[in-house]
Amino acid sequence: MLLPTTMRAMRKLRGQAGLDFCTIPVPVCGPRDVLIRVRITGICGTDLHIYNWDAWSQNRIKPPLTTGHEFVGDIVALGAEVHGLSLGQRVSAEGHITCGQCRLCRTGRGHICRTFKGVGVDREGCFADYIAVPAQNVWPVPAGVPDMFAAIYDPLGNAMHTVMSAPVSLKNVLVMGAGAIGLFAVSIAKVAGAANVMVVEPNATRIDLARKAGADLVLNPRTDDVPALVRRATSNEGPEVVLEMSGNAKAMQQAFSLVATGGTMCLLGIPGTPVDINWAEDIMFKGITIHGITGRRMFETWFQVDEFLLHHSARLAASVTHTMPCAAYEEAFALMNAGACGKINLTWA
Ligand SMILES: [Zn+2]
Ligand SMILES: [Zn+2]
């Protein structure tokens, strides 16, 4: 196939809010890389941070940079040393490029490699017509998985990793925050056999989406007495499992005070500043287990997402609220800033 020499890309060109639609060279496909023609990309909270140019982005991002790390596309070129993949294959990819050498990488814990490079964060991303990624990060998508879900393996993997860190089967599960990953976690927890999934979320749109994702009880912290209602729904014990997806300090404090004695806390939402937690009362005397969750298990989480998408993707339909052409990205980011959406996908056809 004859490839073009230039392509469209959505880039952070300078240290200020917004992104620019640019024409840049198609990336070079190194000997161990594959070049992928992007079909659909998902917009992540990380992309929103970069778009808004918040404090985290100012410290981490070095413009110019093409953002984005959630995608599905087709392989259009293979590096000379790549085996086991083929031209035309539909693929997604793990967005953490790990070193492969450190103690963590060599003991099956590459998701917490200290020197990983993030696609669309530390290296060129997927908000473009083409992306080159190392072949070892490529994930072939099974034929039965629709594109709209194949584009979001990455955040589904975050949700999967979080839910699978705790024994949710026939337990009371509390999900703090119903952004896209929180919504996915609700659906995954139900499929994984949670008896009762409760959600705490203040945003009206997301309250509605949480119900559609399968939550048994959705509480609004602005209007509901969350502690009383959660205790009532859990025989006064509190939830055995809490999935913290909000990163909001108040929600985190409430989560620690509500989790059942002997329960499990899985932390995915990233707070912007340190959070005060009552160590003695809420952690030690209750004997809880805390899991810090980052990224996806490589690649166990990906196999689990495959199975979820092959057998249960209909449960996610309501959580992907928008599919928009990539040129409408400013409207998409405005929806995200307003919290008026679940997952938003952009098409690059
Ligand atoms: Zn993401
Ligand atoms: Zn490493």
Side-chain angles (χ1 to χ4, degrees):
M1 188 196 309
L2 196 61
L3 292 171
T5 54
T6 60
M7 66 175 189
R8 299 171 298 170
M10 206 188 291
R11 285 168 71 77
K12 177 68 84 179
L13 291 181
R14 51 192 81 81
Q16 62 186 48
L19 292 172
D20 285 291
F21 226 84
C22 307
T23 300
I24 60 168
V26 168
V28 174
C29 183
R32 294 180 186 174
D33 294 342
V34 299
L35 185 66
I36 298 160
R37 171 70 172 98
V38 174
R39 290 190 192 192
I40 298 179
T41 57
I43 306 182
C44 181
T46 302
D47 304 313
L48 185 65
H49 288 299
I50 296 170
Y51 182 87
N52 290 338
W53 201 239
D54 65 3
W56 172 83
S57 309
Q58 291 172 32
N59 281 324
R60 180 71 180 267
I61 305 297
K62 307 267 177 285
L65 179 85
T66 301
T67 55
H69 55 271
E70 304 174 0
F71 71 94
V72 64
D74 305 282
I75 296 180
V76 292
L78 297 158
E81 296 171 26
V82 175
H83 303 283
L85 295 169
S86 52
L87 293 177
Q89 201 168 6
R90 188 172 64 129
V91 297
S92 186
E94 164 61 51
H96 285 188
I97 315 290
T98 58
C99 80
Q101 306 290 325
C102 71
R103 186 167 60 94
L104 296 160
C105 282
R106 298 190 74 180
T107 51
R109 297 175 288 171
H111 61 292
I112 44 175
C113 171
R114 301 319 294 162
T115 56
F116 84 90
K117 298 278 181 275
V119 170
V121 174
D122 306 306
R123 54 180 278 153
E124 298 290 3
C126 67
F127 287 168
D129 286 316
Y130 295 89
I131 182 172
V133 291
Q136 66 178 12
N137 281 61
V138 167
W139 190 259
V141 177
V145 175
D147 273 355
M148 68 182 289
F149 304 123
I152 53 173
Y153 265 84
D154 173 297
L156 282 166
N158 290 123
M160 184 67 73
H161 185 184
T162 311
V163 174
M164 291 300 157
S165 298
V168 298
S169 174
L170 297 175
K171 297 287 175 65
N172 286 300
V173 177
L174 176 63
V175 179
M176 301 301 278
I181 298 179
L183 293 171
F184 299 156
V186 169
S187 297
I188 292 168
K190 289 300 286 185
V191 167
N196 174 33
V197 176
M198 299 163 281
V199 174
V200 174
E201 168 61 51
N203 175 294
T205 303
R206 290 174 172 167
I207 287 172
D208 181 49
L209 292 174
R211 290 201 182 99
K212 289 177 176 154
D216 298 287
L217 178 68
V218 186
L219 300 172
N220 183 339
R222 294 194 179 130
T223 53
D224 292 323
D225 183 347
V226 171
L229 292 169
V230 167
R231 289 199 184 98
R232 185 194 296 170
T234 57
S235 313
N236 249 348
E237 301 275 347
E240 288 111 321
V241 176
V242 177
L243 311 177
E244 209 310 300
M245 303 291 197
S246 74
N248 176 287
K250 280 206 177 108
M252 295 178 87
Q253 288 159 339
Q254 187 166 68
F256 274 96
S257 80
L258 282 174
V259 65
T261 298
T264 305
M265 177 74 72
C266 305
L267 303 173
L268 181 86
I270 303 168
T273 52
V275 178
D276 267 337
I277 300 294
N278 187 333
W279 281 68
E281 293 296 334
D282 290 342
I283 299 177
M284 299 165 68
F285 299 155
K286 280 162 72 169
I288 66 167
T289 301
I290 303 174
H291 294 288
I293 310 292
T294 189
R296 298 143 297 280
R297 290 241 168 218
M298 289 168 240
F299 280 86
E300 183 180 8
T301 300
W302 290 76
F303 285 103
Q304 291 167 324
V305 173
D306 263 359
E307 297 303 332
F308 188 85
L309 289 178
L310 283 170
H311 300 286
H312 302 285
S313 65
R315 286 179 174 268
L316 301 173
S319 298
V320 182
T321 52
H322 297 75
T323 300
M324 305 165 76
C326 56
Y329 69 98
E330 286 182 322
E331 188 188 335
F333 281 108
L335 281 166
M336 287 184 73
N337 270 324
C341 57
K343 192 61 169 179
I344 301 182
N345 282 342
L346 298 177
T347 57
W348 291 80

